[in-house]
Amino acid sequence: MVLRLACPHCGPRPVEEWMYGEVPDPPDYLTEADERDVDRGFMMSNTEGAKQERWFHAGGCRRWQTIERDTTL
Amino acid sequence: MAGVRLPIRTHPLQAFVTNHYTRSFRPIVASADMGFYVSQTPRGEMLLGSGIDSQPSYSYRSSYEFLSHCSLPAVTLLPFLRNLTILRQWAGVCDMSVDMSPIMGYTGVDGFLVTTGWGTWGFKGIPAGGEQMAELIAGDRTPELIAPFSLNRFQEDRLMFDPGSTATTH
Ligand SMILES: Cc1cc2nc3c(=O)[nH]c(=O)nc-3n(C[C@H](O)[C@H](O)[C@H](O)COP(=O)(O)OP(=O)(O)OC[C@H]3O[C@@H](n4cnc5c(N)ncnc54)[C@H](O)[C@@H]3O)c2cc1C
Ligand SMILES: [Zn+2]
């Protein structure tokens, strides 16, 4: 079964309609400005489990939505 | 756990095989434009695949959408494929790096090295990559061949476009 994301505006829609937007999340233990910039630009938490994500519903309402998803399902 | 941040995201990659095709099909046909590849296994099955699923995920789910997405260009280019039946479909997960090139070497944490980011093309590069990593571990010095692939390339703003790995198709 294809993954469906629940759009607050359009209801559950197949992932093919969406574009994923990575949200930078530098950890608190990085304190130097340069380190934080590198982290924001390139590094990713690559979370295994539930997390909040940003998705652009390109094939629907064409709005950015915040969606909670479990990356193991 | 080691507190090492990586420019890596995990994405599923799917593939499928058809039933036995009675004729012999020698080439591997791949089209970056049409986004699919096909070859024949030693058992005569036709093996087809495409790019990664767009969602970051650790799930091994496979989808009908992938089958239709991959089959359309395949039967367009090789019409004989439409007479075959799909036997099996599966997914694996691939570590995709920001610049689609592998990352090998030291991490800044003593005694903790990485070889990752092999993406969708890891089988081909890893024999050389593994040998070089072994040399690095045994020799305490980064071999020239893999030096450009170090993790600190992101700090140093020297992203790669490695033609031997997934970067070729991006
Ligand atoms: C469908 C499909 C088709 C592909 N086709 C091709 C192809 O035609 N040509 C090609 O070159 N490449 C292909 N690849 C890509 C290739 O499989 C990968 O690039 C390669 O397997 C990467 O090797 P790796 O050792 O870096 O990572 P992986 O093979 O992903 O190995 C990582 C290992 O780490 C283990 N692991 C994870 N977390 C932990 C933990 N916490 N503790 C202990 N162990 C852990 C995992 O179980 C796994 O065994 C394909 C991949 C897929 C999924
Ligand atoms: Zn929507």
Side-chain angles (χ1 to χ4, degrees), chain A residues 10-33:
Chain A
C10 316
R13 302 296 306 164
V15 69
E16 277 74 19
E17 291 183 2
W18 299 80
M19 276 172 56
Y20 177 76
E22 183 77 40
V23 181
D25 59 346
D28 292 340
Y29 64 77
L30 296 180
T31 47
E32 261 181 60

Side-chain angles (χ1 to χ4, degrees), chain B residues 64-124:
Chain B
Y64 172 78
E65 278 69 14
F66 164 78
L67 281 184
S68 60
H69 172 81
C70 189
S71 301
L72 180 64
V75 298
T76 305
L77 199 62
L78 301 169
F80 74 87
L81 290 171
R82 74 177 70 231
N83 300 321
L84 301 173
T85 308
I86 294 166
L87 277 193
R88 293 190 298 288
Q89 175 189 6
W90 68 96
V93 294
C94 297
D95 291 339
M96 309 303 299
S97 71
V98 162
D99 58 5
M100 301 288 163
S101 304
I103 301 167
M104 284 174 275
Y106 297 115
T107 59
V109 175
D110 200 26
F112 185 67
L113 289 79
V114 286
T115 164
T116 183
W118 286 93
T120 58
W121 277 38
F123 292 147
K124 287 187 260 330

